[in-house]
Amino acid sequence: MSDLRQYKCPACGGAMEFDSTIQKMKCPYCDTVMDVQEYQNMQDAVYQNNAGSAGSDQWQAMGGGAWQSGETDGMCIYTCESCGGEIIADVSTGATTCPFCGNRIVMTGQFSGDLRPDYIIPFKLDKNAAKKAYHRHLSGKKFMPAIFKKENHIDEIKGLYVPFWLFDADTEANIMYEAERLRTWRSGDTEYTEHEIYNVQRAGRIGFSYLPEDCSRKMDDTLMESIEPYNFAEAVPFSTAYLAGYMADRYDVAMEERMERAKQRIKRSTIDAFKNTVQGYHSVKDVNSSVSLYNVRYLYALYPVWILNTTWKGKKYTFAMNGQTGKMVGDLPFDKNAFNRFVITWGVGFGAIVYAIMWLFMLL
């Protein structure tokens, strides 16, 4: 059975896509619209009927151009059933577009068995929304080189379903905080400051649900955490139809590895949550903590992300937008000269104001 599933329009044969605006399958050529489940059921029937129907003719190799040992490590090679073009992708790629005929292709073998996601959050925002969010992100940045915005262009923009392990856990915590309260007063020409140190204890339980940890080594962990949160209430059971028109990766980081990172985030969040209940002090810091996790559970899901890449002065800048909420993050170049001019200008201005005030006092 083929490892490729192509999403063609039943009316004109064009490439169907999942339209994030109407949350349905839509053909960009004839505007045919279908519900995702209805279209998925139709595709399943066609796919099963076509299984095993290929002819038995075998072409013989003329040049003997076989892959050498180790040459295909980390790659998968697929043949497009529509045009016969060869598609080469890395082992974690789950959905792509045929570069020859443009058909949307889902590499179904990448999502079978234990690799099949449990849930998916469909894209809610389209490419135009991502572009607008990117330009809003550039605006109002005081110390970004002006020429960067003028010369800036997007090298690449792609909608990508990023794989995530989602963790549920309950915590039981016993935490000791050191809290400080300050009191300052004057007596004559002397100023006094009193420091009062308290030991504050907090204990209790907190539950965490659907904590996401991206499980693709291609994605920067900090970047993925920065576009959180996602609303899992809008997640739906996984269906490959949602992948049509987008790229998708399968996981290549084991659940056990990501669980360790999730545990640290959960423990830190637990400590911070209890810390927020310690009120009425000038400073609070945790000095001793015991946080135990139990009822740990996990799911495998795909979350929508728009990735934008741009290059300036030979350096690549990557931006990411949450495809559900529109939250955009990404680093921007820093113009040291603009910062220095800002400091000098404000320094001179502030100095002039101080100088004027001194003269006023002298004249009074």
Side-chain angles (χ1 to χ4, degrees), residues 199-239:
N199 288 328
V200 182
Q201 186 176 13
R202 291 290 186 268
R205 297 177 178 178
I206 298 180
F208 293 83
S209 298
Y210 310 118
L211 176 73
E213 289 290 346
D214 82 272
C215 45
S216 171
R217 296 195 187 279
K218 298 176 184 177
M219 307 307 298
D220 181 84
D221 295 338
T222 302
L223 194 66
M224 291 299 98
E225 287 183 8
S226 297
I227 61 175
E228 294 178 14
Y230 284 91
N231 181 11
F232 185 79
E234 295 182 342
V236 296
F238 176 76
S239 170

Side-chain angles (χ1 to χ4, degrees), residues 135-208:
H135 289 296
R136 285 196 303 269
H137 186 69
L138 296 185
S139 65
K141 301 299 189 295
K142 291 184 178 179
F143 305 123
M144 182 181 70
I147 196 171
F148 174 80
K149 188 173 182 180
K150 292 179 181 179
E151 295 183 352
N152 185 258
H153 63 279
I154 301 173
D155 297 331
E156 180 184 33
I157 177 170
K158 58 184 179 182
L160 174 66
Y161 279 108
V162 177
F164 282 84
W165 293 114
L166 308 181
F167 295 97
D168 287 7
D170 295 318
T171 67
E172 185 167 353
N174 193 326
I175 308 168
M176 183 68 70
Y177 300 94
E178 182 181 276
E180 182 179 25
R181 184 177 291 155
L182 302 178
R183 186 169 70 94
T184 302
W185 71 95
R186 296 188 65 87
S187 178
D189 294 332
T190 306
E191 182 178 271
Y192 298 90
T193 301
E194 180 183 69
H195 296 260
E196 294 180 326
I197 306 298
Y198 299 86
N199 288 328
V200 182
Q201 186 176 13
R202 291 290 186 268
R205 297 177 178 178
I206 298 180
F208 293 83

